[in-house]
Structure formats: C-alpha cells, structure tokens
Amino acid sequence: MTATNVLDWIVALFVCWASLTAILEPRRDASQCDGPTVASSAPQAPLATPTQAEFEEMIQDMKLHD
C-alpha cells in the first residue's frame, strides 16, 4: 500500500465515522441553538382559488407553449 492509499482510507474512515456520529447522536441543548420563532400577528389573506375560466386560460397557454 502506498502512503496516498493509506491516507485515502484514513480520510474515508474519518468521514464515515463523522457522518454516523452526526446521524446517531441526539441533539444537545437544542433550545440554545434554535433561534426564536416569531409568530406574526398580522392577519394573513387566504390564498385565492383560480376560477374555471382562469384554469382554462392556463391550460390553453400551456398548449400554446408545447
């Protein structure tokens, strides 16, 4: 084995170990890491549902672009 090959194996093993550690280890002090979530008190408008005519216009537009 050459030195480069040994180094490649060492790096590969380290990456695997780090990946498995990150996946399997539970989060510590999650409350300190998470940023504050701010709930907006502003009223939000409901999403507008397209009308049948708008649907047909969209379909026609898609057919024109094919």
Side-chain angles (χ1 to χ4, degrees):
M1 283 177 100
T2 64
T4 306
N5 199 6
V6 171
L7 184 60
D8 288 344
W9 273 101
I10 291 171
V11 169
L13 289 173
F14 178 73
V15 168
C16 289
W17 173 80
S19 299
L20 288 174
T21 302
I23 292 170
L24 299 176
E25 186 174 299
R27 290 178 56 185
R28 296 182 193 160
D29 297 330
S31 60
Q32 293 178 356
C33 296
D34 293 340
T37 18
V38 179
S40 175
S41 61
Q44 295 184 358
L47 296 175
T49 307
T51 63
Q52 185 65 30
E54 290 172 329
F55 274 125
E56 291 172 4
E57 182 182 347
M58 284 186 261
I59 292 170
Q60 185 65 28
D61 189 45
M62 284 187 241
K63 288 180 181 176
L64 290 174
H65 290 295
D66 281 339

